[in-house]
Amino acid sequence: MDHSFLLMLSNLLHLQNHLDPTTSLLSDTASSTTATSPTSLLTSASAAPLLFFTIASVLSYLASSRSSPSPTPSTASSSTSEFSVSAFRALSTERIWAMEAPLRDAQWRSLYGLSYPVFTTVVEKLKPYITQSNLSLPSDYAVAMVLSRLAHGHSAKTLATRYSLEPYLVSKITNMVTRLLSTKLYPEFIKIPVSRRRLHETTQGFEELTSLPNICGAIDGAPVRVRRLPSNLPNPSVYNCRHGFSSVQLQVVADHKKIFWDVCVKAPGGFDDASHFRESLLYNRLTSGDIVWEKVLNVRGHHVRPYVVGDWCYPLLSFLLTPFSWNRPGTPVQNAFDEALMKGRKVVEEAIGLLKGRWKILQELNVDLNHAPQTIVACCVLHNLCQIAREPEPELWKEPEESGPAPRVLENEKSYYYFGESLRQALADDLYQRLSSR
């Protein structure tokens, strides 16, 4: 029993003795001539016993309430946890409007990787599909849980402990949300710049960066490390990338604002950039003429359509221009072109750094290998949402340095290669002349 309660009870007993000594509860029963019963106390002529028992009963009740056993950890976590549905609802419906917008958005970025307005956009886009799944959790709560996993790289087991859920349920919800992001939202937020307005804006933006005309995108690949491969893979070594760890290969094309307009995850980490590019839908669409950009410029007698720039790990083609060399041992004309082109390529390098810096699960994937592609693509969709909304850019994740020889030209690529070679030389001569005349 609480010590303070004992002290108060003792004081009350002494007070009762002072008011009515004939009914003392502290008197020795052996020396008393008559036993004192509770009934006799209640029928005493004095009001002191009744007053004493009334106050003592109240204090006893309060003491028993204070000393009642605490709830079990699971009960406490479900009722008071900061990750519970009730805590999330209080944050998203009550506290959110009492906070200044910068403070509110900073808190949401720290929890879910993006600001509150962008979060609500994601929820509104996904809610109709999540509702159809008959998920027992609220849609916004489920999205928030998955975003926290993508933003911080938590495992399903870690989130299960935080949210008082089973790990399999966390994995199921993660797979559902990333699948919806990578399929339902991809067409809306990852688009090839074919419209006249967007194409002009993109090529103009790259020209301001590089002084090269008609660049419409920059391409690059990056390995996404996988924490654990399945034990039953027939050939796990194919996932070992050139940097020595197990991974899957990501290929992206970004515009001048570091917004992706094409994403491909179709190869294990052992594939090089050129092989992955040739397996992509973008390569097939460009070689088949399915993508036709109407903006055509004349540069020294060459018809220059919009083109993508990449590093020396990609093949030189009419729609994909690469540097003359990787360490610039060429002529002044070639070196000036290479320097300009690599300024454009740096955009996609930084975009990948932002992607992995903002969505830390991509620094080491902890999802099933079958769900790795959709998880990566989902993060790319979220990256675009953040870039479009001009979210603050996090610290860039630094990729290992590129290395390796230039890829060989395939037989069916030779016409594209020869045209790309003459186009690159014309652009290099034109750039050098303009730079020299300044």
Side-chain angles (χ1 to χ4, degrees):
M1 188 176 291
D2 190 271
H3 177 73
S4 60
F5 170 71
L6 290 174
L7 182 60
M8 286 187 290
L9 183 59
S10 176
N11 291 335
L12 279 171
L13 289 171
H14 284 89
L15 176 63
Q16 195 271 341
N17 285 336
H18 176 73
L19 295 174
D20 191 1
T22 62
T23 57
S24 174
L25 294 177
L26 296 178
S27 59
D28 189 356
T29 55
S31 61
S32 299
T33 58
T34 307
T36 304
S37 68
T39 306
S40 66
L41 287 172
L42 292 175
T43 57
S44 171
S46 172
L50 184 58
L51 175 62
F52 168 77
F53 269 102
T54 302
I55 298 177
S57 298
V58 173
L59 290 175
S60 178
Y61 172 78
L62 293 175
S64 64
S65 300
R66 290 175 58 184
S67 59
S68 60
S70 58
T72 60
S74 60
T75 306
S77 62
S78 63
S79 60
T80 62
S81 171
E82 60 178 313
F83 300 102
S84 67
V85 175
S86 58
F88 175 78
R89 188 63 58 230
L91 173 64
S92 59
T93 60
E94 299 170 13
R95 291 172 51 198
I96 200 71
W97 304 114
M99 302 169 67
E100 294 291 336
L103 181 62
R104 172 201 68 190
D105 292 338
Q107 180 176 358
W108 279 76
R109 289 187 194 102
S110 68
L111 292 172
Y112 310 118
L114 34 70
S115 65
Y116 181 72
V118 181
F119 171 80
T120 56
T121 298
V122 175
V123 172
E124 288 171 3
K125 299 285 185 183
L126 297 183
K127 188 173 182 178
Y129 306 105
I130 297 177
T131 303
Q132 294 173 8
S133 68
N134 296 321
L135 183 68
S136 58
L137 297 174
S139 299
D140 54 351
Y141 183 72
V143 172
M145 182 177 65
V146 174
L147 290 180
S148 70
R149 184 178 184 186
L150 300 180
H152 299 284
H154 297 313
S155 66
K157 186 175 181 181
T158 298
L159 280 191
T161 301
R162 286 189 174 187
Y163 288 85
S164 299
L165 299 171
E166 292 296 327
Y168 85 90
L169 185 57
V170 173
S171 296
K172 180 181 178 181
I173 296 171
T174 302
N175 296 338
M176 177 186 65
V177 172
T178 55
R179 175 177 53 81
L180 292 174
L181 285 167
S182 61
T183 56
K184 302 301 182 182
L185 267 62
Y186 183 100
E188 183 176 354
F189 293 101
I190 300 182
K191 295 180 179 180
I192 296 176
V194 292
S195 68
R196 179 174 300 180
R197 182 191 62 80
R198 189 177 172 208
L199 183 60
H200 175 78
E201 179 186 345
T202 303
T203 55
Q204 186 67 29
F206 272 112
E207 187 165 0
E208 292 174 2
L209 287 172
T210 66
S211 298
L212 292 172
N214 249 13
I215 298 176
C216 65
I219 189 171
D220 200 12
V224 179
R225 183 191 292 264
V226 177
R227 178 174 295 181
R228 189 180 299 107
L229 293 175
S231 57
N232 59 351
L233 276 180
N235 186 17
S237 61
V238 75
Y239 287 89
N240 294 333
C241 69
R242 59 185 178 272
H243 305 298
F245 53 81
S246 298
S247 64
V248 292
Q249 191 72 357
L250 166 66
Q251 173 189 288
V252 292
V253 184
D255 67 12
H256 63 295
K257 294 181 178 179
K258 305 169 193 171
I259 297 173
F260 301 131
W261 57 254
D262 187 78
V263 177
C264 179
V265 187
K266 293 186 66 175
F271 275 49
D272 57 46
D273 289 344
S275 299
H276 192 201
F277 175 58
R278 288 166 174 146
E279 291 290 324
S280 68
L281 177 62
L282 178 64
Y283 176 85
N284 291 329
R285 294 186 67 184
L286 289 170
T287 54
S288 66
D290 184 42
I291 300 175
V292 178
W293 285 294
E294 297 298 334
K295 185 183 177 184
V296 182
L297 301 178
N298 189 302
V299 178
R300 293 179 173 253
H302 291 76
H303 295 291
V304 182
R305 290 186 178 275
Y307 56 92
V308 176
V309 295
D311 61 19
W312 54 90
C313 295
Y314 288 91
L316 172 64
L317 303 167
S318 58
F319 46 80
L320 173 54
L321 299 189
T322 60
F324 285 96
S325 62
W326 67 273
N327 57 356
R328 285 190 255 175
T331 66
V333 173
Q334 293 174 341
N335 292 343
F337 176 84
D338 288 355
E339 182 178 353
L341 182 143
M342 294 306 284
K343 286 180 181 178
R345 181 201 166 274
K346 189 177 181 181
V347 169
V348 69
E349 183 180 323
E350 291 181 354
I352 294 174
L354 288 175
L355 173 71
K356 290 189 175 183
R358 183 177 278 127
W359 308 108
K360 293 180 176 58
I361 195 172
L362 299 185
Q363 297 175 13
E364 188 179 47
L365 271 177
N366 52 32
V367 300
D368 186 83
L369 186 62
N370 292 332
H371 298 122
Q374 72 181 45
T375 304
I376 297 170
V377 174
C379 290
C380 292
V381 172
L382 293 170
H383 164 88
N384 275 10
L385 276 161
C386 291
Q387 291 301 111
I388 293 169
R390 298 183 180 179
E391 289 279 277
E393 295 185 350
E395 183 178 355
L396 297 180
W397 170 262
K398 183 65 176 176
E399 289 292 316
E401 291 294 330
E402 297 276 0
S403 60
R408 64 186 182 87
V409 180
L410 302 183
E411 188 65 31
N412 64 334
E413 293 175 341
K414 285 188 175 179
S415 61
Y416 298 107
Y417 171 77
Y418 293 134
F419 189 84
E421 195 174 38
S422 61
L423 180 62
R424 181 175 65 178
Q425 189 62 56
L427 289 169
D429 291 338
D430 179 71
L431 174 65
Y432 191 75
Q433 182 181 24
R434 286 187 284 113
L435 294 176
S436 301
S437 61
R438 289 179 180 176

